[in-house]
Amino acid sequence: MVAVTVVVTRDLLKATMLFAIYSLTIAGLFATLDAGDVALTEAAVGAGISTVLILAVLALVPRYEHRRTGHSLPALAIVTLTGAALIYASFDLPAFGQPGNPVHQHLGPYFIDQTYADIGIPNLVAAVLASYRSIDTMGEAVVILTAGIVVYALLSPPPRKRRREEDER
Amino acid sequence: MRDNAILVVVARFLIPLVMLFGLYVQFHGEYSPGGGFQAGVLFASAWILFVFIYGLETGLRVIPQRVIYALASLGVLLYALIGVLGVVLGGRFLDFYPLLDAPKAAQQTGIILVEFGVGVTVAAVVMLIFLLFARRRADTLAAGLDPDATDDVRVDGE
């Protein structure tokens, strides 16, 4: 419901606020599912910082989205087909939360059994992120640094003064 | 923003709490949910709240722009250096076992250090992105390009 409103509304400020509410709701959902790390990330990153950053962007652009005319029927068809295919595929998913599901059969038991013996910390997520897959996490840190560099590269030249013709157009 | 007494008082109360929670999430990440990413974001949000209340100039006096640039790279460098340290001490890249004699303590030390690297980078990059957008806003206004003034597509009834 909230997500649909975000897509439909053309008031970007409203969309931002709704998006923050949506993130917070999802964070609560993750917390209910016992995924504390994900919930914390969603609340801090999704609801907190990205809202602030979008607001910072909104300070630079007009508040209302341009009205776009016309519809792209092929795009609508592709989206509908993909959505239908995903829903169809979801019928084959194993039952939610069962211990015998394939996702719990491969590495999961190893991490659950061995983390405390290998590393001695109770938080599996931290152990997997920082030790078992630490090269992966280093890549993520580099990605974040790259994002910072890219934003710097895009925003550091001074804004051009708008020409008068465009103002009077 | 300076005139809003309630906001200032609440923010003054909240900023230390947010920073403390950030430190907790950073250094308690092995025991409770958390880690470098979340802690970095929390720390940056405390700084951004500070900037909202006291203005960008004051915020940059607390953490100068040059320091933010340096911290963003230093976090990744710390991470990579810990990895290289494992190689130097006779292990593989990002192998924490050679760091200390006791294997579990070595793993924990390595995890805490690399997570700290991640936290520093994330905090610095988030602050940097916010800073750049805020700067841009100031520059845009100075160049006589008020984004609200060109807002000619306003919808009726909104």
Side-chain angles (χ1 to χ4, degrees):
Chain A
M1 181 62 206
V2 172
V4 170
T5 320
V6 169
V7 174
V8 168
T9 185
R10 289 176 51 250
D11 183 348
L12 296 176
L13 186 65
K14 200 201 279 175
T16 311
M17 289 302 135
L18 286 170
F19 187 67
I21 295 169
Y22 177 73
S23 281
L24 209 55
T25 318
I26 294 293
L29 179 67
F30 285 139
T32 317
L33 290 173
D34 267 349
D37 287 85
V38 192
L40 188 56
T41 312
E42 183 66 40
V45 180
I49 281 298
S50 54
T51 309
V52 170
L53 289 182
I54 295 173
L55 285 178
V57 176
L58 277 182
L60 294 175
V61 299
R63 180 172 162 182
Y64 294 95
E65 208 177 347
H66 279 283
R67 187 187 295 279
R68 267 165 303 175
T69 50
H71 303 282
S72 171
L73 281 181
L76 183 68
I78 290 172
V79 167
T80 314
L81 273 178
T82 315
L86 285 175
I87 290 172
Y88 177 70
S90 72
F91 293 137
D92 278 346
L93 284 180
F96 180 76
Q98 296 300 311
N101 286 351
V103 68
H104 301 303
Q105 298 294 330
H106 301 287
L107 276 172
Y110 176 82
F111 287 140
I112 292 168
D113 291 341
Q114 293 296 315
T115 296
Y116 203 79
D118 283 352
I119 294 169
I121 63 174
N123 186 352
L124 298 184
V125 180
V128 171
L129 277 181
S131 182
Y132 289 115
R133 294 191 184 162
S134 48
I135 294 180
D136 204 84
T137 308
M138 189 174 104
E140 288 175 36
V142 173
V143 166
I144 289 172
L145 177 62
T146 314
I149 293 171
V150 168
V151 172
Y152 175 73
L154 285 174
L155 287 184
S156 50
R160 271 177 304 154
K161 249 203 167 87
R162 184 160 302 155
R163 277 172 303 158
R164 185 152 276 247
E165 302 92 85
E166 280 186 35
D167 260 77
E168 289 173 358
R169 184 162 52 95
Chain B
M1 196 59 93
R2 269 156 224 253
D3 305 330
N4 294 325
I6 297 174
L7 273 182
V8 171
V9 169
V10 170
R12 264 191 206 159
F13 176 71
L14 272 182
I15 289 172
L17 279 183
V18 173
M19 293 192 133
L20 192 65
F21 186 58
L23 283 178
Y24 168 78
V25 170
Q26 172 78 58
F27 291 111
H28 208 256
E30 326 84 90
Y31 291 98
S32 59
F37 283 94
Q38 297 91 330
V41 171
L42 284 171
F43 224 83
S45 68
W47 183 77
I48 289 174
L49 194 58
F50 183 83
V51 169
F52 276 160
I53 300 298
Y54 293 99
L56 192 57
E57 293 312 313
T58 323
L60 284 180
R61 232 177 293 146
V62 178
I63 307 178
Q65 199 164 349
R66 229 177 279 163
V67 175
I68 298 182
Y69 292 146
L71 283 180
S73 322
L74 279 179
V76 177
L77 275 180
L78 172 68
Y79 201 126
L81 278 181
I82 300 297
V84 174
L85 195 62
V87 178
V88 171
L89 293 176
R92 284 165 291 179
F93 185 60
L94 283 172
D95 187 359
F96 301 144
Y97 285 122
L99 295 180
L100 288 175
D101 288 333
K104 283 186 182 176
Q107 282 288 344
Q108 287 169 7
T109 313
I111 288 175
I112 287 173
L113 284 174
V114 297
E115 288 278 2
F116 184 59
V118 172
V120 168
T121 292
V122 171
V125 167
V126 171
M127 286 192 277
L128 179 66
I129 293 178
F130 178 78
L131 164 72
L132 288 168
F133 278 117
R135 263 283 150 74
R136 186 71 172 189
R137 165 81 175 173
D139 289 352
T140 313
L141 289 179
L145 302 176
D146 188 357
D148 295 325
T150 61
D151 198 355
D152 55 350
V153 286
R154 200 166 294 247
V155 203
D156 298 327
E158 286 212 14

